Amino acid sequence: MIVAEQKPFQEIYESVREHQNLLILGCGTCVTVCMAGGEREVGILANQIRLAAKEENRKMEVLEHTITRQCDEEFFDSTVSSSIREADAVLSLGCGVGVQHIVELFDEVPIHPGLNTQFFGANLQQGLWGERCAGCGECVLDTYEGICPVARCSKSMMNGPCGGSSNGMCEVDPENTPCAWQLIIDRMTKLNKLDKLMENQPPKNWSRDRHGGPRRTQREDMTL
Amino acid sequence: MEPNIIAFCCHYCAFTAADLAGTMRQQYPANIHIVRLPCTGKVDINMLLRAFVDEADGVMVAGCEVGSCHFLEGNIRAKKRVEYAKRKLEEVGINPEKLEMFHIAASEGPLFAQTARDFTDKIRRMIQQESQIEQGSEGQKKKEQIAEPVDNRKEENDRSTGAM
Ligand code: SF4
Ligand code: SF4
């Protein structure tokens, strides 16, 4: 899923404090699971904004609403659409995709982002998420027995490890980040496939990553 | 005016202690509004913030003693949430000490009454200090407003000197 975290409160408040009628719109999918922008976080932020406005004697109406997915037009029903149009501004707690999708659907309303979108990740334990995929467009997990060097090696090395791997940890963040190449070697050892690493991997085709410009995907059979 | 205090109390310990305090004829301020929860583990950050939005001056969360939670770890989870909510209050400029967590066993009626009295006193003092600061800064603002035209002229003079 897409993992995000909330922007610092002061940054959010500065961006919305001039609006008298603010709608905070949460998203019920990824950012609900990573506890950054679901119904609960919308409630917390709405209460914080109400309190901050009260502290400076500012009149501000804060509405709360959360929809299933901000990145899908079908979830913008007539109720939420009219709340968006009636608001002075919308503070979206969706990921960057959600924010931009609202901008595309409601081009007359100012939209502010409430989250910093971070990565595609897995839930490692309650309250902790870690990056696992960087959406490179041409998956090489098969070559590396299911451990991604693009997203999990700090230097995205296709032929590793580098000299900074020590005690199984990466030199870039030895406290928290395991060396992806240590993980790859450990896994290959376990599967008896270490000889696979004798093969030198050619440079990856990055044109299918972000480096080839914005991407789109189409399923001909599904388009109307 | 007495401060408006909301106390979220767990059914098994703090609420029973509050009840006992009453039975024992212990005095504690009447401005404390008790909300009974099955366990302090039910405490949600939003509940705590909402209390402040709805005009609470102080919020207490009172659960069992550490190690004797009826639901094992509810009070430990509540403590973490209270800490988080305190940070959220601080971010909006509210003194985080207006929210506190306490551990009070079911048999400790007098402790409940004492805690309620102490917390009320603390909140009352904070409100007084805040209003003094506010009055002080308003006085300061008025002074600045009177002084402003003089300052403007000075600035204009400075600027014209600079242009030469
Ligand atoms: S190789 Fe590319 S697509 Fe596959 S997991 Fe890594 S970043 Fe994601
Ligand atoms: S130590 Fe490991 S994970 Fe870190 S940059 Fe080097 S090879 Fe990549």
Side-chain angles (χ1 to χ4, degrees), chain A:
Chain A
M1 72 178 142
I2 293 174
V3 179
E5 66 178 7
Q6 212 170 86
K7 282 178 174 292
F9 178 75
Q10 277 312 322
E11 184 185 336
I12 296 179
Y13 189 61
E14 277 309 311
S15 71
V16 300
R17 69 205 283 251
E18 300 297 338
H19 303 299
Q20 285 185 354
N21 182 9
L22 179 73
L23 170 68
I24 308 187
L25 190 64
C27 180
T29 309
C30 307
V31 292
T32 290
V33 182
C34 69
M35 299 178 190
E39 196 175 351
R40 205 162 148 265
E41 291 71 33
V42 167
I44 294 172
L45 189 58
N47 283 331
Q48 274 194 296
I49 292 176
R50 289 182 189 116
L51 286 170
K54 202 163 96 180
E55 284 289 298
E56 54 168 1
N57 291 324
R58 198 180 272 274
K59 246 183 101 73
M60 201 168 172
E61 194 66 44
V62 185
L63 286 173
E64 305 171 29
H65 201 105
T66 299
I67 60 172
T68 308
R69 272 205 298 280
Q70 290 186 10
C71 56
D72 231 329
E73 189 171 354
E74 65 178 288
F75 296 108
F76 289 84
D77 61 15
S78 57
T79 317
V80 69
S81 299
S82 52
S83 316
I84 292 173
R85 288 202 182 89
E86 282 160 19
D88 290 344
V90 176
L91 172 59
S92 163
L93 290 195
C95 69
V97 182
V99 175
Q100 293 180 69
H101 195 232
I102 310 174
V103 167
E104 281 163 41
L105 295 176
F106 303 90
D107 60 358
E108 71 283 19
V109 188
I111 317 286
H112 301 279
L115 302 184
N116 286 327
T117 306
Q118 295 172 295
F119 50 79
F120 303 151
N123 191 190
L124 307 183
Q125 64 177 62
Q126 189 165 311
L128 180 68
W129 295 267
E131 184 162 15
R132 290 293 178 269
C133 174
C136 75
E138 199 168 75
C139 191
V140 292
L141 279 176
D142 196 47
T143 313
Y144 302 96
E145 290 302 329
I147 295 177
C148 173
V150 180
R152 299 178 71 182
C153 165
S154 304
K155 297 167 193 164
S156 294
M157 295 183 73
M158 294 295 141
N159 297 282
C162 74
S165 178
S166 139
N167 298 323
M169 302 302 278
C170 171
E171 66 173 348
V172 173
D173 178 17
E175 292 291 308
N176 304 305
T177 308
C179 166
W181 271 94
Q182 180 73 55
L183 299 176
I184 291 170
I185 290 166
D186 289 350
R187 179 147 168 90
M188 293 213 175
T189 311
K190 209 174 206 170
L191 299 180
N192 236 339
K193 290 184 175 173
L194 254 189
D195 55 321
K196 239 176 134 176
L197 290 179
M198 295 306 286
E199 209 174 303
N200 196 17
Q201 295 304 323
K204 193 170 168 1
N205 174 11
W206 292 110
S207 69
R208 307 206 51 188
D209 185 80
R210 275 278 311 120
H211 309 271
R215 296 165 283 179
R216 45 184 270 162
T217 295
Q218 189 166 20
R219 269 274 303 267
E220 297 288 355
D221 57 324
M222 296 304 289
T223 46
L224 300 175

Side-chain angles (χ1 to χ4, degrees), chain B:
Chain B
M1 206 176 67
E2 280 297 289
N4 187 10
I5 291 174
I6 309 289
F8 292 102
C9 298
C10 78
H11 168 79
Y12 290 94
C13 290
F15 184 81
T16 311
D19 202 21
L20 182 63
T23 315
M24 292 171 75
R25 300 275 184 269
Q26 292 269 333
Q27 293 296 316
Y28 66 84
N31 53 294
I32 297 211
H33 305 280
I34 296 181
V35 179
R36 178 166 61 155
L37 301 176
C39 171
T40 46
K42 178 87 181 88
V43 160
D44 184 75
I45 292 142
N46 247 331
M47 224 181 233
L48 304 174
L49 297 182
R50 186 80 223 184
F52 285 99
V53 171
D54 290 341
E55 309 296 336
D57 296 306
V59 174
M60 296 169 62
V61 175
C64 308
E65 287 177 319
V66 176
S68 63
C69 173
H70 190 80
F71 298 98
L72 306 178
E73 291 181 357
N75 54 355
I76 295 166
R77 300 210 169 118
K79 194 161 181 64
K80 279 186 168 177
R81 287 181 212 144
V82 168
E83 289 303 320
Y84 186 85
K86 274 169 167 281
R87 289 208 297 278
K88 296 279 144 190
L89 288 176
E90 205 168 9
E91 283 173 357
V92 304
I94 292 177
N95 189 336
E97 286 185 31
K98 290 187 175 175
L99 166 66
E100 288 304 347
M101 169 118 194
F102 301 96
H103 300 278
I104 302 169
S107 58
E108 293 180 312
L111 178 64
F112 182 88
Q114 187 60 46
T115 308
R117 287 195 294 268
D118 292 349
F119 190 66
T120 306
D121 285 346
K122 190 173 102 171
I123 297 293
R124 197 185 291 118
R125 272 199 308 277
M126 279 183 198
I127 296 174
Q128 276 166 1
Q129 277 168 2
E130 280 166 11
S131 72
Q132 276 165 6
I133 293 170
E134 219 164 84
Q135 279 165 11
S137 70
E138 259 168 33
Q140 187 68 27
K141 249 187 236 159
K142 275 188 194 138
K143 263 192 229 156
E144 277 166 17
Q145 273 166 6
I146 297 164
E148 219 163 23
V150 181
D151 278 350
N152 282 350
R153 269 202 302 277
K154 185 178 174 290
E155 208 178 289
E156 267 169 32
N157 285 345
D158 285 349
R159 247 187 260 135
S160 55
T161 325
M164 278 181 349

